[in-house]
Amino acid sequence: MADFVGAIDQGTTSSRFMIFDRNGSEIARRQVEHRQLLPAAGRVEHDAREIWENVRKTMDAALADAGLVAADLAAIGIANQRETVVLWERATGEPVAPAIVWQDTRTAADLKDLDAELLRERTGLPPATYFSATKVRWLLDDQPGLRKRAERGEVLFGTIDSWLIWNLTGGGLHITDVTNASRTQLMNLATLEWDPELLALFDIPAAMLPAIRSSAEVYGEALGTVPLAAAIGDQQAALFGQTCFAPGDAKCTYGTGNFVLLNTGTTPVRSTHGLLTTVAYKFKNQLPVYALEGSVAASGSAIQWLRDQLGILDSAADSETLAASVEDSAGVCFVPAFSGLFAPYWRPDARAAIVGLSRFHTAAHITRAALEAICHQTRDVVVAMARDSGTELDCLQVDGGVTANALCMQLQADILGVPVRRPAVAETTALGAAYAAGLAVGFWRSEDELRAHRREARVWQPTWPAARRTESIDRWNKAVSRTLDWV
Ligand code: ADP
């Protein structure tokens, strides 16, 4: 049998292909960025064809780097940016319009007419421009005759996973996985099928939709011979790559924003505290596993802001040295609500604030406050998760760019009051896609085998006494309240 598994990680800014061996160790990786098309305020688009070509390039290049050929891969899995919408022609495989990216807010005005109660109940998601449904409707309304063609099945809809599967298999296979489908706002979270009432609500013809499949099964063949055996949304892939297979396991990915996902087992937990309910993964014909998800809009981007706008850091990594030069933030709080607050507040009217300043304070205190903010925002989501799910976290698995900052991760353990663990393989998203594909073809046999691969690069234990934690949390809450009702 082939000795390696390949993973496509198709993200918002770049596409990469990684090759892993039996131990889950990285053998090769290639990455290519694609263009962010910004045709007007609030509009963010990608060229789906460019994305596909980049994926192809990274696959060829990574195989060549490793001195391997396609036949050396036992399977390929896909992790992808979620919610982004591609519409293409069945006959030619050509996109009919630029892909509308999840960040795009062009459909904001359409939200007020939506039944929030119904959407939350059926899909686990509130009305938001974030999800695919309003974007598909926008495209169908925008081009004369397009909806008619979609009704005849001539024009197809897919999220990026569908688009890649269609292309990887040479056209004709029009499918998606449950995790990606759960972010369209068109899938019924309980039945895992397209919901006819929602399709009618958004005026989207069923004929244009992909068939919904599990996240890990052999869908077809890629590169001619390799089983294409997994597709999973990127945040869910990171949860899988972190081997968060048990209810109560949670991970936080720290990048531009923070994404916290909690495995809640085989029953969906409806959030009453501002979180999303979503499918974590579904393995072949087994029961689906659900997750609660909390997204924080600005975390690592606060560090970028200190670097680029204020100019008080030379690099993001400098934030650690500078913040470590002071004992604490000396009462300063920084709430980076640059574009409002996401989970668990959902307050678009909030704007960022740095509060508690006196003449004594320096750039070091403000930087330390920014690191604390990253951690408090994660804690706010974790607290909401505990309220929704009734289970307290006993540790948090972490990954993403900010986790390079050891001081920040120590603060995270201190503020959360539970250990924080970072795995040796930082690329948990690609690893999750590889794990799912490898399990599907029997390359790996069990979740336990995957857990055994896990090498902790570092664990941070909480050190703060309870009184210090409480004081920090109280100050943070007070600071958050100062940012609300600003616009
Ligand atoms: P994304 O996938 O969202 O682009 P990454 O996982 O690449 O994010 O992380 C990039 C983010 O992490 C940036 O916002 C950057 O400011 C932040 N970052 C990177 N290194 C550090 C560091 N050492 N300390 C704090 N923040 C960092």
Side-chain angles (χ1 to χ4, degrees):
M1 194 183 189
D3 289 322
F4 305 96
V5 172
I8 295 166
D9 176 3
Q10 202 306 298
T12 308
T13 54
S14 71
S15 306
R16 74 180 96 176
F17 187 68
M18 294 186 66
I19 302 174
F20 296 96
D21 68 11
R22 272 185 196 281
N23 300 318
S25 301
E26 176 182 337
I27 298 300
R29 90 163 81 172
R30 275 295 185 113
Q31 181 168 350
V32 186
E33 289 195 6
H34 56 266
R35 289 169 302 147
Q36 305 295 313
L37 310 171
L38 309 165
R43 294 197 181 187
V44 187
E45 300 178 343
H46 288 160
D47 176 347
R49 192 134 284 289
E50 179 186 8
I51 286 181
W52 160 238
E53 280 160 14
N54 286 354
V55 166
R56 262 320 307 247
K57 272 186 232 160
T58 59
M59 293 173 84
D60 292 342
L63 281 167
D65 288 350
L68 299 175
V69 294
D72 293 314
L73 301 178
I76 291 174
I78 300 171
N80 61 285
Q81 56 166 317
R82 308 172 300 176
E83 297 101 7
T84 298
V85 166
V86 189
L87 262 53
W88 70 93
E89 283 193 13
R90 184 192 290 278
T92 62
E94 281 305 314
V96 300
I100 304 187
V101 179
W102 58 273
Q103 297 150 318
D104 191 294
T105 54
R106 77 183 67 181
T107 60
D110 305 342
L111 301 177
K112 58 180 186 324
D113 302 328
L114 296 172
D115 182 343
E117 197 66 20
L118 174 81
L119 289 176
R120 268 207 173 273
E121 190 265 314
R122 292 286 167 85
T123 69
L125 313 170
T129 58
Y130 187 12
F131 310 112
S132 315
T134 59
K135 301 180 201 297
V136 180
R137 176 166 66 183
W138 189 93
L139 283 169
L140 292 176
D141 288 342
D142 187 53
Q143 286 190 28
L146 201 61
R147 186 171 275 105
K148 278 270 165 284
R149 298 190 61 208
E151 279 165 12
R152 294 196 294 266
E154 294 168 17
V155 170
L156 306 177
F157 154 66
T159 39
I160 294 288
D161 54 313
S162 301
W163 169 245
L164 293 180
I165 293 170
W166 174 273
N167 283 291
L168 282 162
T169 57
L173 188 59
H174 186 216
I175 60 170
T176 185
D177 97 295
V178 277
T179 67
N180 278 291
S182 79
R183 314 297 292 198
T184 59
Q185 204 152 48
L186 297 170
M187 189 187 81
N188 184 312
L189 203 58
T191 63
L192 306 184
E193 286 171 3
W194 300 122
D195 188 297
E197 206 177 326
L198 295 178
L199 294 182
L201 186 78
F202 288 106
D203 204 2
I204 294 173
M208 76 184 307
L209 301 177
I212 302 176
R213 305 273 284 268
S214 79
S215 325
E217 62 179 271
V218 178
Y219 307 126
E221 251 126 42
L223 303 175
T225 51
V226 188
L228 183 56
I232 182 164
D234 53 9
Q235 294 305 325
Q236 285 92 334
L239 187 76
F240 208 86
Q242 288 273 21
T243 65
C244 292
F245 301 132
D249 287 351
K251 69 91 200 179
C252 180
T253 300
Y254 300 79
T256 313
N258 288 349
F259 289 89
V260 191
L261 266 78
L262 169 76
N263 180 324
T264 61
T266 51
T267 1
V269 173
R270 305 288 168 175
S271 178
T272 50
H273 296 92
L275 304 172
L276 309 179
T277 309
T278 202
V279 181
Y281 54 90
K282 177 173 162 33
F283 187 73
K284 292 188 177 169
N285 52 7
Q286 294 176 12
L287 286 174
V289 171
Y290 292 90
L292 277 171
E293 174 172 326
S295 355
V296 169
S299 64
S301 56
I303 304 297
Q304 286 172 331
W305 184 78
L306 294 181
R307 185 192 62 192
D308 302 338
Q309 260 78 4
L310 292 199
I312 62 175
L313 300 172
D314 286 333
S315 68
D318 270 357
S319 62
E320 183 165 359
T321 338
L322 188 60
S325 70
V326 289
E327 286 279 295
D328 53 36
S329 68
V332 173
C333 249
F334 179 5
V335 185
F338 296 121
S339 47
L341 288 167
F342 278 20
Y345 303 100
W346 299 107
R347 290 290 297 255
D349 59 329
R351 281 302 174 270
I354 300 174
V355 294
L357 291 169
S358 68
R359 276 299 296 273
F360 158 80
H361 291 108
T362 65
H365 296 107
I366 293 175
T367 304
R368 194 160 178 125
L371 297 183
E372 289 181 0
I374 293 174
C375 307
H376 275 296
Q377 293 191 103
T378 300
R379 181 185 165 276
D380 286 341
V381 169
V382 166
V383 167
M385 283 177 168
R387 293 193 176 134
D388 273 339
S389 70
T391 41
E392 297 281 341
L393 216 60
D394 53 14
C395 82
L396 184 70
Q397 316 287 350
V398 301
D399 53 66
V402 181
T403 64
N405 190 318
L407 172 61
C408 188
M409 293 301 105
Q410 182 58 54
L411 287 167
Q412 185 66 85
D414 289 333
I415 286 168
L416 264 183
V418 299
V420 166
R421 299 171 182 275
R422 188 182 69 200
V425 176
E427 301 300 335
T428 50
T429 305
L431 187 62
Y435 277 173
L439 274 179
V441 297
F443 181 81
W444 289 298
R445 271 174 302 279
S446 67
E447 292 174 352
D448 282 343
E449 187 183 348
L450 300 179
R451 278 197 190 95
H453 292 162
R454 200 185 151 87
R455 298 279 171 273
E456 229 67 77
R458 223 167 144 184
V459 182
W460 289 272
Q461 298 290 344
T463 58
W464 283 3
R468 182 162 178 195
R469 252 188 91 218
T470 312
E471 190 197 331
S472 178
I473 292 164
D474 288 348
R475 197 182 313 116
W476 167 256
N477 289 337
K478 203 163 147 189
V480 167
S481 71
R482 300 291 192 272
T483 69
L484 305 178
D485 291 320
W486 199 262
V487 289

